[in-house]
Structure formats: structure tokens, C-alpha cells
Amino acid sequence: MSRQSNRATDSKKMNSELFTLTYGALVTQLCKDYENDEEVNKQLDKIKFTSHVVLHRFFQEGCAAGKITNKMGYNIGVRLIEDFLARSSVGRCHDFRETADVIAKVAFKMYLGITPSVTNWSPAGDEFSLILESNPLVDFVELPDNHSNLVYSSLLCGVLRGALEMVQMAVDVRFAQDTLRGDSVTEIRMKFIKRIEENLPAGDE
Amino acid sequence: LQFLNWLEMADEALFQFLHSEIIQYVNSAEPGESENGRCVSKLENMGFRVGQGLIERFTKDTPRFKDELDVMKFICKDFWTSVFKKQIDNLRTNHQGIYVLQDNKFHLLTQLSAGKQYLEHAPKFLAFTCGLVRGALSNLGVKSIVTAEVSVMPACKEQILCKNIKS
């Protein structure tokens, strides 16, 4: 009987590891693919970004794989939001504070099984931090030596950015602290940029 | 209890989206029809690494398997349920090292529309999973070749062939 229950809990754990391990395999592949810088620049030109702020930072970091995973994250986020809204039956958020709570307490819990805390609000209320005890995507992945850990962070940033864009919010998402870099916690900083106007068909007024 | 079910299905959705993005990426990195084989092989290798990683952690405390068939049953029940939320629907073997696993509703294929033009893309959607199984078997001491085919769409019946390689 106890053997069966061990298997059950292991099953659940194994499933949550599937996403993390798959993401790790993707990053390994990307780092392999983009070892050559010239190749990098060629590939980058093909990729469209919606947030010039994020693009600028990545150029500074010089990590191509990070740009790719951010874009992938964005694509995932754009689809994930529909899935999330269908599952959670959360209504429209009235302000950024409500958004923050929903992201931390509902979305993160639902998809990654963790609940980050929401802190460090800016005085204007347009920027906050999500604090995670660890980086949820890198529990058991080894970081290739000469690659920036920005690569691991950027998928998550992309997902948040893409998802919120679908609910008419343009946000900037970045990692402020990362346990991979030796910080004690992982901190995701989210800044509200502007509301995106929904496109109405001409002559609707 | 309802909420818990939702949480479990959410895992599935997230992985499905990531899987789909990975296929897109690998596809775009290898342009041209002739590169289909390279895509499939890249995806299979990724799956292999993940399969190894999953099993490594899962069977730390599980007692060893009696025989090869026991290993395959584990793949069909515990492993498949953990990864795809259901068991393999049918397992056949010739008792000489060939196993055919059948999943009648393989959810990674459900995104592909029915229709002949999508059948050529099906191998890319199966490659990662083949690697996953091969990687899992590898860590359980079974060296194999894993191939898959889609029998009927949109029923998405997937047959996995595990051929045990005797050294």
C-alpha cells in the first residue's frame, strides 16, 4: 500500500519536472546553436520583437539564446492567457495591484506550483516585484559554463509579457535578482508601461 | 478536488505550449524540406535527455524490475500517466524484444488539424516523445530504438515501437 502511494506522489512530481527538464533541454540546444556569434546575428534579424525595451537589454547582455527564449515565452504567454482565463474564471483586473495578486497567487500556483510574494511597490504603483525562493525553471539544471543565466530567466519574462499584452497591458518584465547568480532569492520586476487600446473596427462609434 | 484536477491539467497545457514552440524553433532553424530529418533528430535527442532526467528522479526508491516486460509495463502505466495523464491503451509484444505501445488519444497531436497536408508534420510532433521513451528506457537499463507513427487522425492513435537492442 505504501509502495503505491510513493509512486503516486512521485508521479505528480515527475510531471512538474517534465516542463522544467524540457526547458532545460531547449536551453542546452539553443546554447549549442548559438555558439557562433555571426550565426547569431543572422538569426536575430529574423525574429520580431514587440518590446524594444527588452530587445535593448538583450543586446547589452549579448545573449542570443536569451532573445530566442524570450520570444518563445512571449508566444507561449499569448496562448497561455486564454487557458488561464478559462480555468481560473478570474474577472478583469481593475488595477495593477489586482493583476499582481492574480499573477502571484493564482497563475504561478496553477502552472508552476509555487506562490511568489508581491513586494517592493513603486510609489506610483506601476512597478512591483515577485519574490521567489528559487528560480522555478532551474531546480535541477546545470548551467553551461560560459552562458548568461539570462537565458533561463527570459522564458518566464516572455510568458508574462505575452500574456499581459493579450489583456491590453504593455509591461516590461525582467529578473532583478537570480539565485543562479548567487543572489539569495529570485526577483522578477514587473513594470506597467501603458494600456494597449483595443482595435475597434472603423465606424463603430 | 475539482481545483486539484485543474491544477494537474494546467501542467499539461504549459508543457503542450512549450513543446509546440520548440518544434517551431527547431523547424525554423533548419529551413527546407530536406531538413525534416535533422529536425526530427534534434527533437528526439532533446526528448532523450528529458526522459533520462525524469526517470533518474522517479525510480530512486522503486525496487528493481523483474524483467524487460515489467519495465515496459512501467512505461505504459506509471511513466505514461505521469507525463501524459493517461495510460497507454494497448501493449503488444512478440516476446522477442519488440513492443508496440498504442495511445488512442495522443494529446500532443491534437493541435494538428485533420487532413493529409498535416500528416507530413506529424513526425516532428512525435519525435520528442520517442526520445522521451528511449531516454527513460535507457536509464532503466534497456537500450532501444523507438519509432512512432500516426495511424488515424484526428483520433491521434500513436503507435510506439520499442525494439530492444541486444548488445
Side-chain angles (χ1 to χ4, degrees):
Chain A
M1 202 58 176
S2 67
R3 181 175 172 225
Q4 266 187 341
S5 63
N6 277 340
R7 271 201 171 166
T9 40
D10 278 342
S11 280
K12 175 95 181 95
K13 199 165 65 156
M14 197 158 84
N15 179 266
S16 66
E17 291 171 8
L18 174 64
F19 180 79
T20 313
L21 284 169
T22 303
Y23 182 51
L26 167 67
V27 172
T28 306
Q29 186 64 51
L30 281 171
C31 289
K32 266 197 216 147
D33 288 346
Y34 289 99
E35 223 138 40
N36 179 355
D37 274 351
E38 286 171 66
E39 231 358 82
V40 158
N41 291 321
K42 257 196 273 168
Q43 286 295 325
L44 287 178
D45 289 343
K46 295 185 196 163
I47 300 171
K48 259 190 336 186
F49 288 88
T50 52
S51 167
H52 69 279
V53 178
V54 177
L55 179 64
H56 187 240
R57 187 178 321 112
F58 279 149
F59 269 126
Q60 284 180 330
E61 292 272 357
C63 179
K67 295 172 173 98
I68 310 276
T69 57
N70 188 279
K71 176 60 178 164
M72 286 174 125
Y74 175 84
N75 292 341
I76 292 173
V78 159
R79 296 160 80 184
L80 200 68
I81 184 72
E82 270 181 53
D83 184 84
F84 173 71
L85 292 174
R87 281 182 213 282
S88 65
S89 57
V90 160
R92 194 164 274 275
C93 290
H94 295 104
D95 56 32
F96 206 44
R97 274 179 193 271
E98 219 181 305
T99 307
D101 278 343
V102 168
I103 291 173
K105 295 178 186 152
V106 190
F108 261 85
K109 178 83 186 146
M110 190 177 278
Y111 291 107
L112 293 173
I114 57 173
T115 309
S117 48
V118 178
T119 62
N120 292 353
W121 277 99
S122 63
D126 65 345
E127 202 171 345
F128 68 91
S129 291
L130 291 166
I131 308 284
L132 298 84
E133 292 306 304
S134 59
N135 188 328
L137 296 184
V138 295
D139 281 339
F140 17 79
V141 181
E142 275 159 31
L143 202 62
D145 281 332
N146 51 345
H147 288 100
S148 165
N149 54 49
L150 187 68
V151 173
Y152 279 95
S153 313
S154 61
L155 185 94
L156 210 44
C157 295
V159 172
L160 289 165
R161 184 168 60 89
L164 288 176
E165 189 173 300
M166 290 301 109
V167 288
Q168 273 66 56
M169 274 185 266
V171 293
D172 178 45
V173 189
R174 60 188 169 88
F175 269 63
Q177 288 188 76
D178 200 338
T179 49
L180 278 182
R181 278 204 305 252
D183 299 318
S184 55
V185 292
T186 291
E187 182 183 355
I188 301 175
R189 192 88 186 131
M190 292 190 64
K191 184 182 170 76
F192 178 81
I193 301 193
K194 63 171 184 179
R195 179 138 246 129
I196 303 169
E197 295 305 320
E198 289 186 64
N199 289 323
L200 295 170
D204 227 23
E205 297 300 308
Chain B
L1 209 69
Q2 180 88 355
F3 186 60
L4 273 175
N5 284 338
W6 275 8
L7 283 181
E8 295 205 353
M9 282 157 61
D11 285 353
E12 211 174 285
L14 193 56
F15 173 71
Q16 219 171 324
F17 292 146
L18 180 64
H19 179 257
S20 165
E21 278 309 307
I22 291 173
I23 292 175
Q24 289 251 57
Y25 165 71
V26 171
N27 211 25
S28 68
E30 307 271 5
E33 305 265 313
S34 56
E35 304 300 350
N36 206 37
R38 289 243 287 266
C39 286
V40 165
S41 138
K42 252 187 186 173
L43 290 163
E44 210 269 355
N45 282 322
M46 284 176 64
F48 181 78
R49 277 198 292 273
V50 176
Q52 283 189 310
L54 281 174
I55 287 291
E56 201 172 85
R57 301 174 67 76
F58 186 103
T59 57
K60 247 186 324 190
D61 305 312
T62 325
R64 279 185 190 233
F65 299 96
K66 282 191 302 209
D67 53 25
E68 195 176 278
L69 184 61
D70 214 27
V71 173
M72 294 311 302
K73 285 184 183 168
F74 169 81
I75 296 287
C76 292
K77 289 202 254 203
D78 300 84
F79 185 75
W80 212 255
T81 303
S82 302
V83 176
F84 299 115
K85 302 297 197 299
K86 63 181 288 289
Q87 295 189 14
I88 282 286
D89 294 302
N90 194 288
L91 170 67
R92 297 197 313 272
T93 178
N94 66 353
H95 295 289
Q96 282 171 8
I98 297 189
Y99 301 86
V100 182
L101 288 67
Q102 194 165 299
D103 187 334
N104 293 333
K105 206 172 173 221
F106 188 56
H107 84 100
L108 287 182
L109 283 174
T110 55
Q111 291 160 69
L112 286 180
S113 315
K116 288 222 161 98
Q117 80 244 68
Y118 289 101
L119 273 178
E120 64 177 284
H121 294 295
K124 284 181 269 212
F125 279 82
L126 300 172
F128 185 86
T129 304
C130 288
L132 206 67
V133 174
R134 187 169 68 88
L137 286 172
S138 163
N139 263 33
L140 292 170
V142 177
K143 234 176 137 193
S144 65
I145 298 171
V146 183
T147 59
E149 61 175 42
V150 181
S151 330
V152 180
M153 295 234 316
C156 305
K157 221 195 288 194
E158 187 215 5
Q159 283 200 339
I160 296 182
L161 192 97
C162 294
K163 202 157 57 174
N164 196 356
I165 311 172
K166 302 274 193 240
S167 46

